[in-house]
Amino acid sequence: MTDIEFIKSIVELYRKARLTFFPAGNIKRGKSHTISSQVEDLFALYISDIVNSKIEILIDQPISFSHNNVSKTIYADIAMIKDDLIYQIWDIKTDLGWKRDIFPQFCKDKDELVNSIKSKDAKFKNREDNTSRQLKFSSDFTFNIVVISCKNISTIKHERVANETRQLQNVGVYFLTSDTHPNSNYDDDINDLIKKINFNDTDFILLRHRIENDKL
C-alpha cells in the first residue's frame, strides 16, 4: 500500500461515514459515524505490507503490566510483536483536535513510561479463546503516534508541537498531511481532493523507517 493509497482510503472512509448503514428514503444521518476503528484496521494493513509475516500485528489490544508495583494497562491501537516481545505500539489520531495543547506533555509522559517498562513482563488476554498470554516489552520498545492531519491546528502550534516531540528518545511522532483535511470538500472528487492535500514526505519516510527498523 502506497502512502497516497493509505490517505485516499481514509478519505473514502470519511465519505462512507456520512451515510447510514441501513438506507431508506426517509432516513438521514446528522453526525457521521466514527471511523477510528476502521483507520486502525487500515493502518495495520499498511504495516503488514511493510513487515514480514513473522511479525504479529494486534489491533485495539489492552496490554497489562506492573509499574511501580501498580497494575497498569496500555490500550494499544496497534501492537507489533515478534518472538513474544512487544517492540512497538502505535497510537492513531485522525487529528489533534482539542488535544493540541496537551499533546506535548502526553508524549513526554509516554516517553518516561516506555523507558521505565522496557524489558518488563506484560500480558494480554486472547479474545479468541479467553486465555492469558505472557509477553515482555523489548529492550528497544517504542511508543509511536501517527497524526493523519494537522489541518485543524495553526502552523505555529504545529511547529511547536513537532519541535517539542521530535527529540524524544522512546516516542516517535509522525504528522502525515496538512493544508486540506481528508474529511472536507465533500463536493470534490476524491482524486481531486487528494491533489489538494499536502503529504509530509519526510514524516512518511521516518514512519516507514521506524516500522522497518525500529529507528527514528
Side-chain angles (χ1 to χ4, degrees), residues 65-180:
F65 58 96
S66 179
H67 179 54
N68 294 330
N69 296 318
V70 177
S71 180
K72 300 279 188 179
T73 302
I74 288 181
Y75 295 92
D77 289 346
I78 305 287
M80 297 175 65
I81 299 171
K82 184 178 181 181
D83 299 326
D84 286 335
L85 290 175
I86 306 164
Y87 71 97
Q88 289 178 6
I89 280 178
W90 292 85
D91 192 29
I92 316 301
K93 300 185 183 303
T94 52
D95 52 48
L96 290 184
W98 61 268
K99 304 179 188 69
R100 62 178 71 92
D101 293 321
I102 63 172
F103 185 67
Q105 188 59 50
F106 171 84
C107 295
K108 292 172 185 176
D109 291 344
K110 284 292 185 288
D111 187 65
E112 293 177 4
L113 175 64
V114 169
N115 195 51
S116 67
I117 62 176
K118 288 181 178 180
S119 302
K120 299 291 182 64
D121 292 332
K123 64 181 180 180
F124 71 84
K125 184 168 289 188
N126 189 322
R127 299 180 185 179
E128 294 180 355
D129 57 15
N130 211 34
T131 59
S132 182
R133 180 174 171 187
Q134 302 298 317
L135 304 164
K136 279 185 177 292
F137 292 105
S138 71
S139 60
D140 55 358
F141 168 56
T142 59
F143 188 95
N144 305 280
I145 304 163
V146 175
V147 182
I148 303 299
S149 175
C150 57
K151 169 61 179 174
N152 64 346
I153 63 175
S154 68
T155 301
I156 293 176
K157 186 160 291 187
H158 169 237
E159 291 176 352
R160 180 178 67 81
V161 169
N163 289 335
E164 289 187 31
T165 58
R166 186 68 73 198
Q167 302 305 318
L168 296 175
Q169 180 179 357
N170 306 298
V171 172
V173 181
Y174 309 93
F175 297 94
L176 301 187
T177 70
S178 60
D179 290 353
T180 301

Side-chain angles (χ1 to χ4, degrees), residues 3 46 50 174-176 200-213 215-216:
D3 302 338
Y46 180 88
I50 296 173
Y174 309 93
F175 297 94
L176 301 187
N200 189 343
D201 293 332
T202 298
D203 276 25
F204 267 111
I205 291 170
L206 290 171
L207 170 71
R208 284 179 171 270
H209 195 250
R210 168 55 61 90
I211 293 170
E212 292 171 342
N213 302 300
K215 295 178 181 178
L216 282 173

